[in-house]
Amino acid sequence: MIDLYTAATPNGHKISIALEELALPYRVHTLKLSEGEQKQPWFLAINPNGRIPAIVDRAEENFAVFESGAILLYLAEKTGRLMPDDARGRSRIIQWLMFQVGGVGPMMGQANVFFRYFPEKIQPAIDRYQGECRRLFRVLDGHLKEHEYLAGDYSIADIANWAWVRTHRWSGVDLAELPYLQRWLEQIRRRPAVQQGIDTPPSPVDRDADPDQARQFAVEARRMVEMGQSRQSGV
């Protein structure tokens, strides 16, 4: 049994999708981020960085793993699935995984902050981060023109990137001129394990369909952004 500590965010859904794809038994513990539950001492004992997601593998002497990329690698290596054994195949997947961890996720996260959450609109910052998101999306689109998935067969690299790219509207970035990226998004979305994963836990609001709920979600997220960090030990 694996305990998953998570919330309805792209990084959290990366792990619930992987657990569903791998058919591993797990328990979900949904943290209330707006209340700072991720900064509580009990959770900092699992993840000193005070961020979701994190897992505890009860079958491995309660071994804790934090950072979403590291968790995906751990689960793939534990099961021997969603990543090949040969050095070159493994490297290709890790390259695209790092592309998400170091590029897509941070750039979309900053686009969200400046486009959605800051009370004042700092247009140069919005342009900077939305422009970098578009550049990264073009990289994905160009690669997917010649490849069904990012690195051979469907893998943790696809899961990691998909969980973020699917939220592109919230970052204010359109995919109209990226047909191969759109094809890949829809192809992965149809997987039953993916559908279950993005409902674990479900988002409390429909940010795309309900403007009022989206505004309330942005207000709560802004509060967390403005709070920045907890007042205890700089975490």
Side-chain angles (χ1 to χ4, degrees), residues 20-123:
E20 290 290 336
E21 291 282 11
L22 296 167
L24 288 170
Y26 68 102
R27 288 182 292 249
V28 178
H29 306 270
T30 304
L31 275 65
K32 299 176 181 177
L33 304 184
S34 62
E35 297 179 14
E37 194 171 4
Q38 72 277 21
K39 304 299 184 183
Q40 295 299 313
W42 69 267
F43 185 68
L44 294 176
I46 297 170
N47 180 3
N49 195 34
R51 298 286 190 273
I52 63 94
I55 65 169
V56 177
D57 190 344
R58 301 302 178 188
E60 297 293 338
E61 300 179 348
N62 298 329
F63 183 66
V65 188
F66 65 92
E67 291 296 323
S68 59
I71 297 170
L72 288 175
L73 286 168
Y74 176 80
L75 294 174
E77 291 172 346
K78 175 184 176 72
T79 60
R81 296 175 55 200
L82 297 177
M83 187 170 67
D85 293 331
D86 66 287
R88 289 195 296 179
R90 188 174 183 275
S91 177
R92 290 188 188 99
I93 284 171
I94 292 174
Q95 289 172 55
W96 285 107
L97 176 61
M98 295 303 106
F99 178 85
Q100 184 277 303
V101 170
V104 171
M107 293 302 102
M108 292 187 71
Q110 290 300 315
N112 293 345
V113 166
F114 288 102
F115 180 64
R116 293 283 184 182
Y117 304 150
F118 266 23
E120 64 272 24
K121 296 302 180 185
I122 306 173
Q123 198 59 46

